[in-house]
Amino acid sequence: MPLAPVDDLSPDAVAGRRRTLLRKALAELVGTALLLATVVGSGVAATRLTPDDVGAQLLYNSVATGAVLTALILALGPVSAAFNPVVTLVERALGALDNRSAAALVAAQCLGGAGGVVLANLMFELPAVSTATTVRSGPGMWLAEVVATFGLVLVVFGVVRTGQTRHVAVAVGAYITAAYWFTSSTSFANPAVTLARTLSDTFAGIAPASVPPFVLAQLAGGAVALLVVRVLHPDPRAAARAVVHHAEEAP
């Protein structure tokens, strides 16, 4: 059902917008929960399977995370599949969401992330919540989070604004898998993920004291990416037409 204009205050229109927002919030909550369950759960499984090989642990963790992101975006994308407050804030800045919707989706992402970590802990018979003790700090890691988040936002909105939405799931999954390896922070690139990972003292955990600089770096990376996206794709419709034109010219 198409949404009624925002200035339509009739009971049916208001109820329709409320239902749509609830559906979007549920998709964000469920998707972020499954994402975090995968990040933390695969980390625990990896350390148990290869306790003396950190490289293998990171490989298992990165492949599982990239794969689940691809699957979740394909499944939930028609409703809502940001799973990341930075992506949602950029959507708001580009006019795709209003303030109320953005706030509701960010809250759902944070709640879902925490729930996913608790589920992962319980599945591996660990305490439901244990405060992470892994310190992740220093200028190199903070820069890595700027770069990781910048790249993620650039990939998401570069693909979407050129009319290639059907490819966004694969693009995001591939980017995150790669970013695990080329960033010193292993690419958290997501404030909801960062906060949630304080709740598990396992391979994927991050100490609470390390969170504020990480989140600030992620917001900075998202802000820079927003500026670049606006310069590269000032008119999404024109960008989409250009992609179609080049595809038609390809041999």
Side-chain angles (χ1 to χ4, degrees):
M1 180 182 70
L3 290 179
V6 174
D7 58 355
D8 186 347
L9 299 180
S10 67
D12 286 346
V14 171
R17 289 197 294 271
R18 184 178 294 115
R19 285 193 299 270
T20 297
L21 181 54
L22 286 173
R23 289 175 60 241
K24 288 178 176 291
L26 179 60
E28 292 292 338
L29 186 149
V30 171
T32 312
L34 289 174
L35 170 60
L36 266 298
T38 302
V39 171
V40 173
S42 64
V44 175
T47 55
R48 291 183 180 180
L49 291 169
T50 55
D52 300 317
D53 191 339
V54 178
Q57 293 166 11
L58 186 60
L59 176 62
Y60 304 151
N61 198 212
S62 63
V63 170
T65 302
V68 82
L69 266 172
T70 302
L72 290 172
I73 293 171
L74 285 172
L76 299 174
V79 181
S80 186
F83 315 141
N84 187 331
V86 173
V87 173
T88 297
L89 290 174
V90 172
E91 287 183 303
R92 173 65 191 97
L94 293 173
L97 296 171
D98 58 23
N99 289 334
R100 178 169 173 265
S101 297
L105 298 186
V106 169
Q109 291 157 0
C110 292
L111 182 60
V117 172
V118 171
L119 284 174
N121 287 337
L122 293 174
M123 284 192 292
F124 285 91
E125 299 184 351
L126 298 170
V129 173
S130 59
T131 302
T133 57
T134 302
V135 175
R136 302 176 190 264
S137 186
M141 283 200 178
W142 301 333
L143 176 60
E145 281 303 293
V146 174
V147 172
T149 312
F150 170 84
L152 175 61
V153 172
L154 185 66
V155 166
V156 170
F157 291 94
V159 172
V160 170
R161 287 168 78 84
T162 53
Q164 304 177 90
T165 306
R166 67 187 182 281
H167 298 310
V168 71
V170 174
V172 170
Y175 175 79
I176 289 297
T177 302
Y180 259 77
W181 289 91
F182 80 76
T183 63
S184 60
S185 62
T186 66
S187 184
F188 283 48
N190 183 328
V193 166
T194 306
L195 289 167
R197 285 168 67 166
T198 65
L199 304 177
S200 184
D201 192 18
T202 57
F203 177 81
I206 178 173
S210 299
V211 168
F214 262 52
V215 172
L216 288 174
Q218 291 156 3
L219 293 172
V224 175
L226 171 61
L227 295 176
V228 173
V229 166
R230 279 178 161 163
V231 172
L232 293 177
H233 307 297
D235 183 350
R237 290 169 297 181
R241 287 195 297 272
V243 170
V244 172
H245 175 70
H246 289 309
E248 289 174 345
E249 288 185 341

